[in-house]
Amino acid sequence: MLNTEAPSISHTELDLYPTTQLVDVLIDDQLNAIRAVSLAAAQIAAAVDAATPRILAGGRLVYVGAGTSGRLGVLDGVELLPTFSWPNERALSLLAGGKQAMFVAVEGAEDDAAQGAKEIMQLALTANDVVILIAASGATPYVLGALQAARATEALTIGFANNPGAPVTLQAEIGITLDTGSEVISGSTRLKAGTSQKVALNSFSSALMVRLHKVYGNLMVDVKPTNVKLLRRTVSLTMHATGRDEAYCRRILEECDFHVKIAILAIVNNISTSSASEKLQACGGDLRLALHKTST
């Protein structure tokens, strides 16, 4: 029996606990998800280093999963646009059962290996693409079908699973095991197995975006201001990085369509936003490099 499916030997009378104790137990067990991700940190770092040159060469991120794992992949991908201005067409998600499976379980969809392979082949992958395959069991047929099809294209494959020795981690180019063990509610991998996947995917994609110069220091300088809250954030980020007042930073941001990196470069080096845009582009979007070049 898989570790994630095995009945837990702890809390065998969970249904008899008073509510306060019940909630405490469920929360406490989630701490094991963080420990599992921490133990896989070296493999996550290796995945980031392997993915970076491919993505810099124009590759795409492709998330593949079923059920909770698939939904977490979708979530990680769609959040890259507002956080890092990462284009949606370069963060794709394949979810067993299609878009409707985000909201309603599609019976039998995860068992269709041929469909996983078919959907991968429809993407016309290249060697620069990075395919992220997520399965708590590590043996979901839909995910394994997609994995085999992706391997045939020479795309980079990264497998995440919550059981040691799982097919998805053994067959992917880089395997990441998040060994969370049995669940407090036996077999419910939406609990700490899902939490570990969320943390691991978040860490992988965030680290990748840092390597792609989407972050300056620890500032989210490539934010896409898609709402009022994020517009305010562009102003506060620019103020923090430059030390200038709100009115001045807002005026410069308005000149460059609220592109924080351009505004910072223009303000710090006292140049026009158009010049700042050109210099930033010449430096591959690396704000730190652009600041250094314009100050020497």
Side-chain angles (χ1 to χ4, degrees):
M1 183 175 289
L2 298 174
N3 287 358
T4 51
E5 303 295 330
S8 174
I9 61 174
S10 301
H11 311 293
T12 55
E13 296 186 342
L14 187 73
D15 60 328
L16 300 179
Y17 288 1
T19 304
T20 300
Q21 183 183 5
L22 172 62
V23 171
D24 283 344
V25 164
L26 289 168
I27 292 171
D28 184 63
D29 196 49
Q30 294 282 357
L31 298 176
N32 292 314
I34 304 300
R35 297 188 186 101
V37 178
S38 181
L39 290 172
Q43 290 72 41
I44 295 172
V48 172
D49 286 340
T52 299
R54 296 176 187 244
I55 297 300
L56 282 171
R60 298 167 293 177
L61 293 170
V62 180
Y63 298 82
V64 183
T68 298
S69 299
R71 295 182 191 105
L72 288 169
V74 173
L75 178 63
D76 199 69
V78 299
E79 289 182 341
L80 297 179
L81 173 64
T83 311
F84 301 110
S85 291
W86 189 251
N88 284 331
E89 62 270 19
R90 294 184 67 191
L92 309 176
S93 297
L94 298 181
L95 176 60
K99 291 182 179 179
Q100 63 179 327
M102 275 298 294
F103 308 101
V104 180
V106 178
E107 187 174 352
E110 70 173 50
D111 300 322
D112 195 340
Q115 184 64 23
K118 177 183 176 181
E119 291 179 17
I120 277 289
M121 289 187 288
Q122 289 173 341
L123 297 180
L125 297 179
T126 74
N128 287 327
D129 291 321
V130 177
V131 183
I132 303 156
L133 305 118
I134 317 141
S137 68
T140 305
Y142 175 87
V143 175
L144 294 179
L147 170 57
Q148 293 306 315
R151 288 298 304 261
T153 68
E154 298 186 354
L156 174 66
T157 53
I158 303 170
F160 288 85
N162 292 89
N163 288 288
V168 75
T169 53
L170 294 176
Q171 295 173 26
E173 189 169 338
I174 297 176
I176 299 171
T177 300
L178 309 170
D179 188 5
T180 45
S182 59
E183 300 282 0
V184 168
I185 299 176
S186 301
S188 180
T189 52
R190 63 179 290 272
L191 296 174
K192 68 173 177 283
T195 299
S196 72
Q197 292 173 358
K198 175 69 169 74
V199 175
L201 290 170
N202 190 292
S203 299
F204 166 77
S205 62
S206 297
L208 178 61
M209 292 296 134
V210 173
R211 288 287 165 261
L212 297 177
H213 314 303
K214 300 286 186 179
V215 174
Y216 172 63
N218 65 350
L219 302 180
M220 192 172 70
V221 291
D222 240 349
V223 58
K224 183 75 169 178
T226 55
N227 55 45
V228 172
K229 177 190 71 176
L230 292 178
L231 278 171
R232 288 198 299 266
R233 190 168 298 167
T234 65
V235 177
S236 62
L237 286 166
T238 306
M239 291 172 63
H240 182 84
T242 65
R244 300 299 295 267
D245 63 79
E246 179 178 352
Y248 183 77
C249 289
R250 182 176 289 275
R251 179 171 67 82
I252 299 300
L253 281 163
E254 287 173 349
E255 291 179 9
C256 59
D257 196 26
F258 289 87
H259 194 303
V260 176
K261 288 199 285 190
I262 292 174
I264 292 172
L265 185 57
I267 293 170
V268 170
N269 287 286
N270 194 29
I271 57 178
S272 68
T273 54
S274 59
S275 294
S277 178
E278 291 174 4
K279 292 180 182 298
L280 186 63
Q281 187 173 3
C283 292
D286 186 340
L287 177 58
R288 189 175 294 278
L289 178 61
L291 285 167
H292 173 75
K293 283 194 171 184
T294 53
S295 63
T296 56

